[in-house]
C-alpha cells in the first residue's frame, strides 16, 4: 500500500468512525504530536483509547480533505473538521509512513489553546 492510499484509508475510516479500520493504519509504536511538537500520544493502545473517546463524544465528527501533498514517505493533509462544536476546526497533519503503517502524525491547528484542547483531548 502506498503512503497516499494508506492515509486515504485512514481518513475514510475516521469519517465513518470505524475504530478497527482506523487503527489498522497505525504502527504499534506510533507517536502523535500536537502543535508544540511534544508527544500527545505514544503507542497504538493510547491512540485507540483516545479515538474511541473522540468517536463516542462526537458522533457527527467529520473531516473534509482540503488539500494533500506527498513526497516519499510523507503525506501532509489540510483538513476542515466539523461536528465538534459551532465552528469548524482547521487542521494540518504531516504523516510519516514506514513499512506500510503510520509511524508519526504531527498535528497543527490555529486554535489558540493548542491542539489537544481544540480537538477535545483535555
Amino acid at each position: 500500500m502506498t503512503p497516499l492510499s494508506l492515509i486515504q484509508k485512514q481518513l475514510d475510516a475516521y469519517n465513518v468512525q470505524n475504530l478497527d479500520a482506523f487503527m489498522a493504519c497505525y504502527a504499534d509504536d506510533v507517536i502523535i504530536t500536537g502543535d508544540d511538537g511534544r508527544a500527545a500520544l505514544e503507542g497504538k493502545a493510547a491512540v485507540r483509547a483516545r479515538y474511541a473517546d473522540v468517536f463516542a463524544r462526537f458522533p457527527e465528527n467529520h473531516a473534509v480533505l482540503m488539500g494533500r501533498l506527498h513526497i516519499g514517505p510523507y503525506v501532509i493533509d489540510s483538513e476542515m473538521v466539523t461536528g465538534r462544536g459551532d465552528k469548524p476546526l482547521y487542521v494540518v497533519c504531516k504523516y510519516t509512513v514506514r513499512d506500510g503503517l503510520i509511524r508519526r502524525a504531527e498535528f497543527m491547528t490555529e486554535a489558540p489553546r493548542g491542539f489537544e484542547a481544540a480537538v477535545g483531548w483535555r
Side-chain angles (χ1 to χ4, degrees):
M1 180 173 295
T2 69
L4 282 171
S5 60
L6 177 68
I7 299 307
Q8 186 60 50
K9 177 182 174 182
Q10 179 260 169
L11 180 62
D12 292 342
Y14 175 91
N15 279 333
V16 297
Q17 299 193 9
N18 181 331
L19 187 58
D20 289 333
F22 181 77
M23 292 309 305
C25 299
Y26 288 87
D28 289 341
D29 60 350
V30 64
I31 295 174
I32 296 183
T33 68
D35 52 4
D36 61 2
R38 292 182 305 149
L41 298 171
E42 295 185 58
K44 199 170 188 174
V47 174
R48 175 178 279 280
R50 187 60 55 90
Y51 279 93
D53 177 62
V54 168
F55 291 167
R57 288 193 301 141
F58 302 107
E60 300 300 318
N61 186 61
H62 186 80
V64 176
L65 183 63
M66 300 181 69
R68 179 171 280 162
L69 299 171
H70 167 249
I71 186 166
Y74 306 107
V75 178
I76 301 171
D77 279 0
S78 173
E79 301 172 357
M80 178 181 68
V81 180
T82 59
R84 292 191 182 194
D86 296 338
K87 297 179 184 177
L89 173 66
Y90 294 93
V91 176
V92 172
C93 185
K94 176 185 151 195
Y95 298 96
T96 302
V97 176
R98 301 262 189 236
D99 301 320
L101 295 170
I102 299 169
R103 299 287 174 174
R104 186 175 184 93
E106 301 171 55
F107 286 90
M108 294 143 276
T109 180
E110 64 183 353
R113 296 183 301 141
F115 173 73
E116 290 88 352
V119 297
W121 286 6
R122 285 189 186 153

